[in-house]
Amino acid sequence: MFCTSSNFDNPPYSLPNLDKVVNTFPDFVDASEESALLGLLGRQLYDAFIAGLDALPDEYDEDSATVIGTEYIYGNDIWEALTVTTGVFPVEGVAWTLVEADNKWLKLKNGAEYTHESKVYQWRGMVWLLIPYVYSQWLEANVDSFTGSGVVTDANENSQVGSPLVRICNSYNDFARRSGVTESPGYYTMVDSLYGFLYVEEDDYEDWLWESPETINPFDL
């Protein structure tokens, strides 16, 4: 839906051997993302979000010729092609006309700036939000495989928690922070977070129903 296997090629959220589970991983990602977003958006906004994305035109492809009268996505905007061109990026003029600037579903998907108390912040989009969540869920579902392949550390004298569990917790908590969760229960950050973006832009996302993803520790698992 949003994340793909290529999003897990680099540290700190690299997942080995995804090429060997090519038919399993995309389904796992879709299910994980849906679970996370139902909590962060609520069912009504989630369904509207997915339906809104499905109704959008195709992304502009600089290597393909445009079709006169056809609409294309470029960034968070929607443009209509006025001529047949290849490699002419959308800008108001002879070849293109702007149909809709800052489409709300594209902003929610791709990210956008927002202003709170005269300060500008950046919502960085769904891929940025969901990478650590999917990573944590995949590790948790495959912890035996990771332990068997050596992704562990020696236990210290005070703890028997191995590195897979620590990685699961750290990545999940990173997802929670990107969502907007703070160390103070019941308080959410307006700075560069999904919560901050939706709070400021609530007129566009009026069906929003937030369920906080509380942070965890290795002993919760």
Side-chain angles (χ1 to χ4, degrees), residues 7 36 40 50 56 60 62 64 77 79 114 128 132 136 144 159 167 178 187 199 204 208 218 221:
N7 295 125
L40 297 176
I50 300 305
L56 291 173
Y60 171 66
E62 63 179 300
S64 300
D77 305 329
W79 295 79
Y114 60 97
W128 171 79
S136 73
D144 292 341
S159 173
R167 291 185 182 199
R178 295 179 185 196
Y187 290 87
Y199 183 90
D204 280 340
W208 177 35
L221 299 176

Side-chain angles (χ1 to χ4, degrees), residues 38 41 88 162 164 169:
L38 282 173
L41 304 179
V88 178
C169 291

Side-chain angles (χ1 to χ4, degrees), residues 60 66 72 74 77-83 85 87-99:
Y60 171 66
T66 57
Y72 299 87
Y74 185 64
D77 305 329
I78 300 174
W79 295 79
E80 180 183 340
L82 302 179
T83 62
T85 62
V88 178
F89 290 92
V91 62
E92 194 71 46
V94 175
W96 295 97
T97 188
L98 182 64
V99 175

Side-chain angles (χ1 to χ4, degrees), residues 25-211:
F25 189 66
D27 291 339
F28 183 91
V29 170
D30 288 349
S32 297
E33 291 179 344
E34 180 178 7
S35 176
L37 292 178
L38 282 173
L40 297 176
L41 304 179
R43 169 59 72 179
Q44 284 186 279
L45 180 54
Y46 174 81
D47 286 346
F49 179 35
I50 300 305
L53 293 178
D54 288 343
L56 291 173
D58 292 335
E59 295 271 355
Y60 171 66
D61 181 0
E62 63 179 300
D63 296 322
S64 300
T66 57
V67 177
I68 295 174
T70 298
E71 295 180 356
Y72 299 87
I73 294 170
Y74 185 64
N76 288 339
D77 305 329
I78 300 174
W79 295 79
E80 180 183 340
L82 302 179
T83 62
V84 177
T85 62
T86 303
V88 178
F89 290 92
V91 62
E92 194 71 46
V94 175
W96 295 97
T97 188
L98 182 64
V99 175
E100 181 183 0
D102 292 327
N103 176 274
K104 67 178 184 179
W105 303 126
L106 292 174
K107 288 168 61 179
L108 184 55
K109 175 189 174 185
N110 298 329
E113 290 185 347
Y114 60 97
T115 303
H116 178 66
E117 295 182 348
S118 302
K119 293 183 179 179
V120 177
Y121 301 109
Q122 181 74 38
W123 156 238
R124 296 176 60 185
M126 286 296 167
V127 171
W128 171 79
L129 171 70
L130 292 166
I131 283 175
Y133 181 79
V134 172
Y135 179 89
S136 73
Q137 299 305 291
W138 184 256
L139 256 63
E140 185 172 0
N142 295 277
V143 65
D144 292 341
S145 299
F146 278 88
T147 303
S149 63
V151 187
V152 293
T153 58
D154 293 333
N156 62 45
E157 61 184 22
N158 297 316
S159 173
Q160 296 299 313
V161 179
S163 69
L165 298 187
V166 174
R167 291 185 182 199
I168 290 167
C169 291
N170 287 345
S171 54
Y172 181 89
N173 290 341
D174 189 19
F175 155 74
R177 286 189 292 270
R178 295 179 185 196
S179 300
V181 172
T182 69
E183 294 182 0
S184 301
Y187 290 87
Y188 308 106
T189 180
M190 301 297 295
V191 178
D192 299 340
S193 67
L194 175 62
Y195 183 91
F197 173 74
L198 290 173
Y199 183 90
V200 169
E201 302 289 338
E202 62 181 342
D203 287 347
D204 280 340
Y205 309 103
E206 58 185 14
D207 292 325
W208 177 35
L209 182 62
W210 171 267
E211 181 179 327

